[in-house]
Amino acid sequence: GLHMSNIPVENRGHSSLISVIQNELKTRIVNGAFKPGEKLPSEPELAMELGVSRNSLREAIGLLQREGLLVKRHGVGNFVTDRYPLIRGGIERLAGITEFIRAQGFKAGSKITRFELLECPGEIGQKLDTEPCEKIFIMETIKYASEVPVALCVDFISRSIAGNIDPDRIHNSIFDGLRDHYGVDIRYAECDLIPMTAGEELTGKLSVETGTPVLLLEQIHYDSQNRRVLYSKSYFPVGKFTFKLIRRR
């Protein structure tokens, strides 16, 4: 397991120590060291292993209980919540996936796995405002939460609106990147949620088993001039990501 005993306790404030412990436990839950439904080591044992006081540990555990990651069974101990999805996001507002991941207290990462110009992209082209047979950019990225791959995103970007794109400027946050570097201000999206299961391509890229339930989020994004500039397909394996859909009237 990971050891935290090298944390210089004395030069950290109390609350930041609590959040270090909290993040350490969270990381273990995320990477499967503590599995869903599994009982945690006893508090004295865990406190000793982490090199922290039992009070600090108890406080961190309390925070994780409030977050829904851990459940306390009185007289028995602390358990990892069964089938707790890693990232919870409300898709009622437009936020990049990296923002979601950060908001959950994980370290967000993004890796570009494909970037190219597509010649004459048929049906995809019809979802964007482009000239007939105008090339469009395709960018594929894998999103990580504390080093664990949690989503695969495929973004199709209208070149006739955005111009020539440098993927390094947009892959971490496509909305900010398009706005800050290419003057494209995305305002809203039409969204379809499509349940599916992971085929070979997804299992390899997201390290999940074939047949894992996946939620596909298909979105057509409109900019401030009401142009369809970005079409995205984001694949979220169930168990790593869950959405609360809040309908805004």
Side-chain angles (χ1 to χ4, degrees), residues 108-128:
S110 171
K111 194 175 103 197
I112 302 169
T113 46
R114 177 183 175 202
F115 183 78
E116 55 187 288
L117 258 183
L118 287 184
E119 309 275 342
C120 211
E123 58 181 293
I124 304 278
Q126 291 159 22
K127 297 183 191 282
L128 292 172

Side-chain angles (χ1 to χ4, degrees), residues 133-215:
C133 249
E134 164 82 54
K135 297 174 185 172
I136 60 175
F137 285 107
I138 174 171
M139 178 174 72
E140 186 188 277
T141 52
I142 296 174
K143 305 298 181 198
Y144 294 85
S146 301
E147 320 293 324
V148 179
V150 291
L152 174 74
C153 301
V154 187
D155 293 304
F156 301 91
I157 305 158
S158 166
R159 184 193 188 193
S160 54
I161 298 176
N164 278 325
I165 281 176
D166 171 359
D168 288 329
R169 294 182 137 183
I170 63 170
H171 78 101
N172 276 312
S173 170
I174 196 159
F175 300 140
D176 295 351
L178 285 174
R179 186 191 62 224
D180 299 345
H181 299 290
Y182 301 98
V184 173
D185 192 3
I186 288 173
R187 288 300 169 81
Y188 71 99
E190 284 168 6
C191 171
D192 275 323
L193 282 172
I194 303 157
M196 53 178 287
T197 54
E200 236 159 73
E201 187 189 5
L202 278 181
T203 56
K205 287 179 175 159
L206 292 175
S207 7
V208 293
E209 290 167 24
T210 311
T212 299
V214 170
L215 197 58

Side-chain angles (χ1 to χ4, degrees), residues 31 60 91 131 164 166 198 211 216 233:
N31 66 21
I91 48 179
E131 302 305 312
N164 278 325
D166 171 359
L216 166 58
K233 297 167 84 158

Side-chain angles (χ1 to χ4, degrees), residues 63-81:
L63 293 172
L64 292 170
Q65 285 166 356
R66 279 206 290 282
E67 260 184 70
L69 273 168
L70 293 177
V71 188
K72 189 173 188 66
R73 294 192 196 143
H74 285 286
V76 189
N78 297 300
F79 290 79
V80 179
T81 307

Side-chain angles (χ1 to χ4, degrees), residues 81-117:
T81 307
D82 217 1
R83 295 182 307 280
Y84 175 84
L86 194 54
I87 306 288
R88 292 182 294 188
I91 48 179
E92 70 281 4
R93 61 183 201 96
L94 269 184
I97 294 161
T98 21
E99 280 177 43
F100 272 156
I101 294 172
R102 276 196 202 105
Q104 303 292 322
F106 294 106
K107 193 163 119 304
S110 171
K111 194 175 103 197
I112 302 169
T113 46
R114 177 183 175 202
F115 183 78
E116 55 187 288
L117 258 183

